[in-house]
Structures are given as structure tokens and as C-alpha cells.
Amino acid sequence: MSLAVLLALLVSAAPMTLSVRWEPRVLHPGDAAMVFLTGLPDSKIVEGSLAGQPLTFFPYGDGYAALAGMDLEVKPGTVTWRVGVVDAGGRPLKASGTLQVRGRKFPVQRLTLPKEMVELDAPTLRRVEEESKHLRTLYATISPERFWRGRFTKPVGVSDPGDGFGARRIINGLVRAPHAGVDYSADAGTPVVAANAGRVALVGEYFFPGRLVVIDHGLGLYTLYFHLERADVAEGDRVERVQIIGRVGSSGRATGPHLHFAAHLRQARIDPAGLLQLKLPE
Ligand SMILES: [Zn+2]
């Protein structure tokens, strides 16, 4: 009897056990993580949560996986995860545990911007509030299908590694919201590509983001592309990874041409650099 056959017999005779693996195991504000469940083919129900936030599992390899995000302002400490499965035979299985969230030092950016981009008159303030409300509603919309496949790609072909994620911003001497994306400096007109496959959820002209494209990758994951010179896609379009979606510009509140690239996962503002580093087989 070959070793492979022997192993197959042993596996088929063994009772199903729920094996849960987190990657990475230690988290920081802004991190994206994957949780993998193995050993349970054809399970009927797979659900779970991390820090009270639901995890959306999808079939992956010979098991299931889910992406989880830590918001950039999450506090260090211990967070609890929980997974519940009803296996192919109808048997309920449960597992739970904890993960550590460590602190992360973010840079402080002091910026001086033209007064009209900081001190907003009442109609502009209303516009900004409506735009941010619309974006929040969008990020809270969870498409039930996973569109992304494999690794996420840097959206501009420049050597700049990108910076500024989580930066505490002091603009014209006043503390403002932290910077929730990565800025890549690039010449105006540089092609901007989709970081992964998805559906174009929004193309617009917003006060701070300027011309923007938002891609829905499904299961609560969105990527954002701001300050574009132009957009080459329309709302509702399906896009493939590395498909050109627009060009770098300096529209909105920008001091020069650059791409502001950001990612939201179930409303957590995550570091897109971490998303790009996840090792995700096709
Ligand atoms: Zn930015």
C-alpha cells in the first residue's frame, strides 16, 4: 500500500476536527489578517467574529477563509475570535481564542494648505458632510460575492513605496482626522490600475478626494483611488486586477499630483500596504 493511500485511509477514518489558523497572529492598528479553516470540506454553515465584528467566510483551498481588518484607531489589547461550523454531517463545531493587538507609532504631519481648503463655508461644509455620509453608507454595504482573486497589486507603477498611512494630521495648526490611506507621488497622467478584481461602486467628484473611483471587491472590502485627473471606468463596470481605471492627478485637496490609495474592510480603515503584502494564492 502506498503512503498516499494509507494517509487517505487514515484521514477518512478520523473524525472531522476544526483547525483554525490566523495570519498574522499579532495585529496592529490598520492591519489586514486572514483566518483559515481547514479539515471541514462541504460544511453547511461557517460563521464567526473577531472583536465582535462578523467574519464572512468563503470557500478557500480545501477549507474556508475570511479577511479581517483592524481599524487604524483600534486600541492595543487582546481581542477574541470565535468560529462556528456545521459540518457536512450536520454536526456543530466551535472554536475560539484570542489575538494580540499591539500599538503602532504613526507619523505626525504638519501641513499648511490654502485657507479655503481648510476653513469651509456653510454650503461646502454641508457638501463635505453629505459626501462622507454617502461614503460611509457605501462601505457598510456588504456584497455577498467575493470578486477578488489572488494577490492585491500596487495601483501605480512607480518606485515610491507610498507613505502617510495613519499620519496624525495638523493642518494649519489644527488637529484633523488621521490620514486613512497611502500616498504615492507620481506624475500627472500616470495610469492607475485596479488593485484586484471587483465592481466599480462609485465614480465621483468630491470636495476632498477630488475625482475618485471606489471598487467593491465583495464581502465588505473596498479600495479607494483619490485625486484622479480622470476616471476611465463607470459605476457598475466589472474590472479585472491591473485594469486601468484612471490617471493620476491633483483634483480635490491635493498639494500636487499623487495617488491617494485606501482600503476599507467592513468599515475598518486598513493599511493598503498590508493588503498588498498578504500572501494570497489564486
Ligand atoms: Zn492622501
Side-chain angles (χ1 to χ4, degrees):
M1 190 183 294
S2 78
L3 184 60
V5 170
L6 179 64
L7 281 173
L9 283 173
L10 284 172
V11 168
S12 66
M16 294 288 199
T17 52
L18 177 55
S19 157
V20 182
R21 180 168 60 88
W22 281 91
E23 216 170 274
R25 300 176 55 84
V26 176
L27 301 169
H28 304 85
D31 275 358
M34 285 278 277
V35 54
F36 300 91
L37 309 183
T38 47
L40 296 159
D42 307 320
S43 293
K44 293 194 179 84
I45 300 170
V46 183
E47 52 87 33
S49 65
L50 173 66
Q53 294 294 313
L55 295 166
T56 310
F57 284 92
F58 47 87
Y60 202 76
D62 62 348
Y64 297 84
L67 267 180
M70 290 278 118
D71 186 75
L72 72 89
E73 291 189 285
V74 76
K75 299 274 172 285
T78 303
V79 289
T80 303
W81 60 263
R82 190 189 57 72
V83 171
V85 172
V86 176
D87 73 9
R91 198 163 56 111
L93 294 164
K94 281 181 180 162
S96 61
T98 57
L99 294 173
Q100 288 304 310
V101 181
R102 300 226 175 107
R104 174 174 169 181
K105 261 201 142 60
F106 290 112
V108 176
Q109 284 183 346
R110 282 168 212 278
L111 301 173
T112 306
L113 292 173
K115 223 171 126 185
E116 62 273 17
M117 288 308 267
V118 183
E119 292 162 33
L120 310 180
D121 57 29
T124 311
L125 201 58
R126 263 202 305 281
R127 176 185 167 188
V128 166
E129 277 165 6
E130 258 164 46
E131 288 171 352
S132 72
K133 196 173 143 204
H134 184 73
L135 287 174
R136 281 199 305 275
T137 307
L138 184 64
Y139 305 145
T141 309
I142 316 286
S143 300
E145 190 185 341
R146 176 172 68 109
F147 302 128
W148 63 269
R149 286 289 180 275
R151 293 195 74 127
F152 284 76
T153 302
K154 188 175 168 182
V156 272
V158 294
S159 55
D160 183 2
D163 66 3
F165 179 78
R168 304 317 193 205
R169 289 194 141 174
I170 301 167
I171 300 175
N172 297 359
L174 291 173
V175 176
R176 300 285 171 166
H179 184 245
V182 162
D183 291 328
Y184 297 106
S185 36
D187 293 334
T190 304
V192 174
V193 302
N196 209 318
R199 191 184 56 82
V200 177
L202 178 68
V203 176
E205 295 267 353
Y206 281 18
F207 185 75
F208 288 131
R211 195 160 293 124
L212 79 163
V213 170
V214 177
I215 299 179
D216 176 6
H217 299 288
L219 309 181
L221 177 65
Y222 291 86
T223 53
L224 291 52
Y225 310 79
F226 288 1
H227 311 304
L228 301 176
E229 182 181 83
R230 70 163 213 253
D232 292 327
V233 285
E235 283 177 19
D237 285 358
R238 286 294 294 258
V239 291
E240 295 303 320
R241 178 174 41 188
V242 309
Q243 181 180 331
I244 293 176
I245 56 165
R247 307 280 163 175
V248 170
S250 51
S251 57
R253 189 167 74 182
T255 49
H258 73 283
L259 177 71
H260 173 103
F261 175 50
H264 280 244
L265 179 52
R266 282 204 169 253
Q267 303 172 68
R269 297 160 295 172
I270 59 169
D271 186 347
L275 194 62
L276 302 185
Q277 278 160 19
L278 284 177
K279 290 180 190 71
L280 301 167
E282 300 291 318

mmCIF file of all heavy atoms in Angstrom, residues 163-164 169 179-184 226-227 253 258-261, ligand 1:
data_model
loop_
_atom_site.group_PDB
_atom_site.id
_atom_site.type_symbol
_atom_site.label_atom_id
_atom_site.label_comp_id
_atom_site.label_asym_id
_atom_site.label_seq_id
_atom_site.Cartn_x
_atom_site.Cartn_y
_atom_site.Cartn_z
ATOM 1 N N ASP A 163 3.529 56.502 1.382
ATOM 2 C CA ASP A 163 3.648 56.806 2.811
ATOM 3 C C ASP A 163 2.415 57.550 3.315
ATOM 4 O O ASP A 163 1.491 57.835 2.565
ATOM 5 C CB ASP A 163 4.915 57.618 3.099
ATOM 6 C CG ASP A 163 4.869 59.009 2.472
ATOM 7 O OD1 ASP A 163 3.845 59.364 1.863
ATOM 8 O OD2 ASP A 163 5.853 59.732 2.602
ATOM 9 N N GLY A 164 2.450 57.805 4.625
ATOM 10 C CA GLY A 164 1.426 58.650 5.236
ATOM 11 C C GLY A 164 0.256 57.912 5.846
ATOM 12 O O GLY A 164 -0.633 58.549 6.412
ATOM 13 N N ARG A 169 -2.727 64.278 11.542
ATOM 14 C CA ARG A 169 -2.555 65.475 10.724
ATOM 15 C C ARG A 169 -2.874 66.757 11.475
ATOM 16 O O ARG A 169 -3.912 66.877 12.110
ATOM 17 C CB ARG A 169 -3.449 65.382 9.500
ATOM 18 C CG ARG A 169 -2.911 64.340 8.547
ATOM 19 C CD ARG A 169 -3.563 64.461 7.227
ATOM 20 N NE ARG A 169 -2.568 64.242 6.181
ATOM 21 C CZ ARG A 169 -2.851 64.174 4.891
ATOM 22 N NH1 ARG A 169 -4.081 64.363 4.483
ATOM 23 N NH2 ARG A 169 -1.905 63.968 4.023
ATOM 24 N N HIS A 179 -4.863 60.406 8.544
ATOM 25 C CA HIS A 179 -4.811 60.119 7.104
ATOM 26 C C HIS A 179 -5.027 58.616 6.904
ATOM 27 O O HIS A 179 -4.216 57.805 7.347
ATOM 28 C CB HIS A 179 -3.442 60.556 6.589
ATOM 29 C CG HIS A 179 -3.269 60.412 5.118
ATOM 30 N ND1 HIS A 179 -2.370 59.544 4.567
ATOM 31 C CD2 HIS A 179 -3.884 61.027 4.082
ATOM 32 C CE1 HIS A 179 -2.429 59.645 3.248
ATOM 33 N NE2 HIS A 179 -3.337 60.542 2.930
ATOM 34 N N ALA A 180 -6.111 58.250 6.224
ATOM 35 C CA ALA A 180 -6.534 56.842 6.195
ATOM 36 C C ALA A 180 -6.045 56.083 4.965
ATOM 37 O O ALA A 180 -6.510 54.989 4.688
ATOM 38 C CB ALA A 180 -8.055 56.760 6.286
ATOM 39 N N GLY A 181 -5.104 56.648 4.217
ATOM 40 C CA GLY A 181 -4.607 55.942 3.036
ATOM 41 C C GLY A 181 -3.108 56.100 2.878
ATOM 42 O O GLY A 181 -2.433 56.657 3.741
ATOM 43 N N VAL A 182 -2.606 55.579 1.765
ATOM 44 C CA VAL A 182 -1.198 55.702 1.410
ATOM 45 C C VAL A 182 -1.123 56.660 0.223
ATOM 46 O O VAL A 182 -1.946 56.583 -0.687
ATOM 47 C CB VAL A 182 -0.638 54.314 1.010
ATOM 48 C CG1 VAL A 182 0.652 54.434 0.225
ATOM 49 C CG2 VAL A 182 -0.422 53.457 2.233
ATOM 50 N N ASP A 183 -0.158 57.574 0.253
ATOM 51 C CA ASP A 183 0.043 58.491 -0.874
ATOM 52 C C ASP A 183 1.257 58.042 -1.687
ATOM 53 O O ASP A 183 2.340 57.842 -1.140
ATOM 54 C CB ASP A 183 0.285 59.927 -0.372
ATOM 55 C CG ASP A 183 -0.968 60.530 0.241
ATOM 56 O OD1 ASP A 183 -2.076 60.189 -0.218
ATOM 57 O OD2 ASP A 183 -0.829 61.336 1.183
ATOM 58 N N TYR A 184 1.052 57.877 -2.987
ATOM 59 C CA TYR A 184 2.157 57.582 -3.902
ATOM 60 C C TYR A 184 2.379 58.819 -4.757
ATOM 61 O O TYR A 184 1.440 59.249 -5.440
ATOM 62 C CB TYR A 184 1.794 56.435 -4.849
ATOM 63 C CG TYR A 184 1.534 55.109 -4.177
ATOM 64 C CD1 TYR A 184 0.234 54.623 -4.053
ATOM 65 C CD2 TYR A 184 2.580 54.315 -3.705
ATOM 66 C CE1 TYR A 184 -0.022 53.392 -3.468
ATOM 67 C CE2 TYR A 184 2.327 53.083 -3.122
ATOM 68 C CZ TYR A 184 1.029 52.625 -3.004
ATOM 69 O OH TYR A 184 0.787 51.411 -2.422
ATOM 70 N N PHE A 226 -8.069 58.274 -5.078
ATOM 71 C CA PHE A 226 -8.461 59.688 -4.989
ATOM 72 C C PHE A 226 -7.549 60.597 -5.827
ATOM 73 O O PHE A 226 -6.424 60.227 -6.162
ATOM 74 C CB PHE A 226 -8.383 60.184 -3.542
ATOM 75 C CG PHE A 226 -9.455 59.656 -2.618
ATOM 76 C CD1 PHE A 226 -10.439 58.774 -3.046
ATOM 77 C CD2 PHE A 226 -9.473 60.059 -1.272
ATOM 78 C CE1 PHE A 226 -11.416 58.304 -2.169
ATOM 79 C CE2 PHE A 226 -10.444 59.595 -0.400
ATOM 80 C CZ PHE A 226 -11.421 58.718 -0.835
ATOM 81 N N HIS A 227 -8.027 61.807 -6.037
ATOM 82 C CA HIS A 227 -7.295 62.914 -6.692
ATOM 83 C C HIS A 227 -6.992 62.637 -8.171
ATOM 84 O O HIS A 227 -6.007 63.136 -8.718
ATOM 85 C CB HIS A 227 -5.974 63.251 -5.956
ATOM 86 C CG HIS A 227 -6.126 63.428 -4.487
ATOM 87 N ND1 HIS A 227 -7.011 64.332 -3.938
ATOM 88 C CD2 HIS A 227 -5.512 62.824 -3.424
ATOM 89 C CE1 HIS A 227 -6.928 64.268 -2.611
ATOM 90 N NE2 HIS A 227 -6.027 63.348 -2.276
ATOM 91 N N ARG A 253 -8.466 68.094 -2.545
ATOM 92 C CA ARG A 253 -7.462 68.722 -1.678
ATOM 93 C C ARG A 253 -6.132 67.992 -1.834
ATOM 94 O O ARG A 253 -5.866 67.007 -1.139
ATOM 95 C CB ARG A 253 -7.915 68.726 -0.211
ATOM 96 C CG ARG A 253 -6.975 69.576 0.650
ATOM 97 C CD ARG A 253 -7.548 69.867 2.007
ATOM 98 N NE ARG A 253 -7.509 68.693 2.874
ATOM 99 C CZ ARG A 253 -7.983 68.675 4.114
ATOM 100 N NH1 ARG A 253 -8.544 69.751 4.625
ATOM 101 N NH2 ARG A 253 -7.909 67.584 4.823
ATOM 102 N N HIS A 258 -0.571 63.160 -7.127
ATOM 103 C CA HIS A 258 -0.252 61.919 -6.403
ATOM 104 C C HIS A 258 -1.499 61.061 -6.381
ATOM 105 O O HIS A 258 -2.607 61.542 -6.638
ATOM 106 C CB HIS A 258 0.249 62.203 -4.981
ATOM 107 C CG HIS A 258 -0.817 62.651 -4.012
ATOM 108 N ND1 HIS A 258 -1.326 63.929 -3.996
ATOM 109 C CD2 HIS A 258 -1.464 61.979 -3.028
ATOM 110 C CE1 HIS A 258 -2.234 64.027 -3.035
ATOM 111 N NE2 HIS A 258 -2.348 62.850 -2.428
ATOM 112 N N LEU A 259 -1.316 59.782 -6.056
ATOM 113 C CA LEU A 259 -2.470 58.896 -5.868
ATOM 114 C C LEU A 259 -2.648 58.639 -4.380
ATOM 115 O O LEU A 259 -1.713 58.212 -3.702
ATOM 116 C CB LEU A 259 -2.281 57.555 -6.592
ATOM 117 C CG LEU A 259 -3.441 56.569 -6.343
ATOM 118 C CD1 LEU A 259 -4.715 57.028 -7.054
ATOM 119 C CD2 LEU A 259 -3.071 55.162 -6.777
ATOM 120 N N HIS A 260 -3.834 58.918 -3.888
ATOM 121 C CA HIS A 260 -4.211 58.513 -2.530
ATOM 122 C C HIS A 260 -4.953 57.193 -2.692
ATOM 123 O O HIS A 260 -5.989 57.125 -3.337
ATOM 124 C CB HIS A 260 -5.103 59.584 -1.894
ATOM 125 C CG HIS A 260 -5.692 59.192 -0.568
ATOM 126 N ND1 HIS A 260 -5.204 59.657 0.627
ATOM 127 C CD2 HIS A 260 -6.733 58.372 -0.253
ATOM 128 C CE1 HIS A 260 -5.929 59.141 1.627
ATOM 129 N NE2 HIS A 260 -6.860 58.356 1.105
ATOM 130 N N PHE A 261 -4.373 56.137 -2.108
ATOM 131 C CA PHE A 261 -4.921 54.783 -2.229
ATOM 132 C C PHE A 261 -5.305 54.317 -0.826
ATOM 133 O O PHE A 261 -4.487 54.385 0.095
ATOM 134 C CB PHE A 261 -3.840 53.879 -2.838
ATOM 135 C CG PHE A 261 -4.200 52.415 -2.917
ATOM 136 C CD1 PHE A 261 -5.399 51.998 -3.471
ATOM 137 C CD2 PHE A 261 -3.295 51.446 -2.476
ATOM 138 C CE1 PHE A 261 -5.716 50.649 -3.557
ATOM 139 C CE2 PHE A 261 -3.590 50.097 -2.563
ATOM 140 C CZ PHE A 261 -4.809 49.694 -3.107
HETATM 141 ZN ZN ZN B 1 -3.673 61.057 0.900
#
